[in-house]
Amino acid sequence: MILVRPDISVVIPFHNAGKFFPEALRSVKSQTLPPLEIIVVDDGSDEPDRKLLENLKGFSLIRQQNRGPAAARNTGIIAASGQFIAFLDADDLWLPDTLSSLYECIMSDPEIGGVIGKVQLLWERPKENMPEKTEKLLNLPFFALLFGTALLRKKTIEDVGFLNENLRFGEDTDFFLRMREQDFSLSKIPSTVLRYRLHEGNMTKGKNPAELNVMLVLKKS
């Protein structure tokens, strides 16, 4: 059993996500293993969302001009004082044992550069006209190279190289592929650690693979 607060900095990039952010924040604050700090990076939000952040408590707030999620995460990493970094998008949710499960694994071996768990899709509204069999399949947890499923050593990020700010999408896949190329160990745990929310405001909604930089990231790798 871990008796001291772990050296984990949670970084949340935020851009006009006020509708979902309070619930995301609660999922961090309700962790069975509380983090050392929560850093929210406001990436140029509009005024209503800026005011919402000002009215909430329990995190450090950094504001910057809109430069994209990769730049917001980089800002949070630089400001983080923890030895370990965990990311959560402002519209997603962690399960209560997310940090505990990831931290236990990464602490089991000093050679582990990072660890990921499984993600489960969270639908904002019922899926109309979807066969029951298809819906059950889509609800099954699965592994994906998403920052929200990961706990990384800060030194690993610094050694691999910070996130590519030229990528508005796919910067997480790009980073994990660079980890592999540089022989950094990425472990997996079978636990579901992230609920990835699907809604009309998703940055990736309606985008084709080219717009999401899929081929660009794979070509680089």
Side-chain angles (χ1 to χ4, degrees):
M1 180 180 294
I2 301 167
L3 299 179
V4 295
R5 187 177 291 258
D7 202 9
I8 300 174
S9 297
V10 175
V11 175
I12 304 177
F14 179 98
H15 179 71
N16 295 341
K19 178 180 178 181
F20 303 111
F21 177 68
E23 189 177 5
L25 183 63
R26 283 195 296 272
S27 79
V28 178
K29 291 184 174 182
S30 63
Q31 289 296 297
T32 56
L33 189 66
L36 176 69
E37 60 185 355
I38 304 171
I39 301 171
V40 177
V41 181
D42 178 14
D43 190 45
S45 293
D46 296 335
E47 190 61 27
D49 289 272
R50 290 171 59 89
K51 289 184 177 179
L52 178 138
L53 290 178
E54 292 171 358
N55 292 329
L56 294 174
K57 298 179 181 180
F59 55 88
S60 301
L61 178 62
I62 301 174
R63 297 195 188 278
Q64 65 182 32
Q65 292 183 340
N66 180 251
R67 292 161 46 208
R73 290 190 179 97
N74 282 342
T75 296
I77 294 165
I78 293 169
S81 58
Q83 297 181 49
F84 303 94
I85 306 291
F87 299 102
L88 180 66
D89 285 352
D91 54 354
D92 292 339
L93 300 171
W94 277 341
L95 280 72
D97 292 332
T98 290
L99 289 183
S100 175
S101 301
L102 295 171
Y103 187 71
E104 181 179 1
C105 177
I106 204 168
M107 290 297 289
S108 67
D109 184 349
E111 297 301 316
I112 295 176
V115 55
I116 63 171
K118 290 183 177 180
V119 57
Q120 186 175 29
L121 301 179
L122 176 64
W123 301 82
E124 183 184 359
R125 58 188 181 185
K127 301 167 285 300
E128 299 176 0
N129 302 320
M130 181 178 290
E132 183 178 352
K133 184 177 180 180
T134 302
E135 183 174 343
K136 287 182 178 179
L137 286 173
L138 291 175
N139 284 335
L140 291 176
F142 58 95
F143 285 111
L145 296 178
L146 298 171
F147 280 134
T149 68
L151 180 64
L152 300 164
R153 296 185 191 274
K154 185 175 182 180
K155 189 177 187 307
T156 298
I157 299 174
E158 293 169 342
D159 290 345
V160 171
F162 282 78
L163 313 187
N164 186 343
E165 297 185 8
N166 293 321
L167 298 175
R168 285 273 175 162
F169 307 101
E171 73 279 2
D172 40 11
T173 302
D174 172 72
F175 178 83
F176 288 120
L177 290 177
R178 285 190 285 126
M179 270 189 72
R180 184 186 66 181
E181 292 161 8
Q182 298 177 44
D183 294 325
F184 283 90
S185 173
L186 181 65
S187 294
K188 293 180 179 180
I189 60 172
S191 306
T192 301
V193 298
L194 175 69
R195 290 206 170 110
Y196 182 92
R197 194 189 299 271
L198 295 174
H199 59 89
E200 291 299 323
N202 281 123
M203 287 182 64
T204 57
K205 186 174 178 61
K207 300 290 192 302
N208 61 45
E211 292 176 296
L212 296 177
N213 300 317
V214 173
M215 294 309 298
L216 176 62
V217 169
L218 293 177
K219 280 183 178 180
K220 286 180 59 182
S221 178

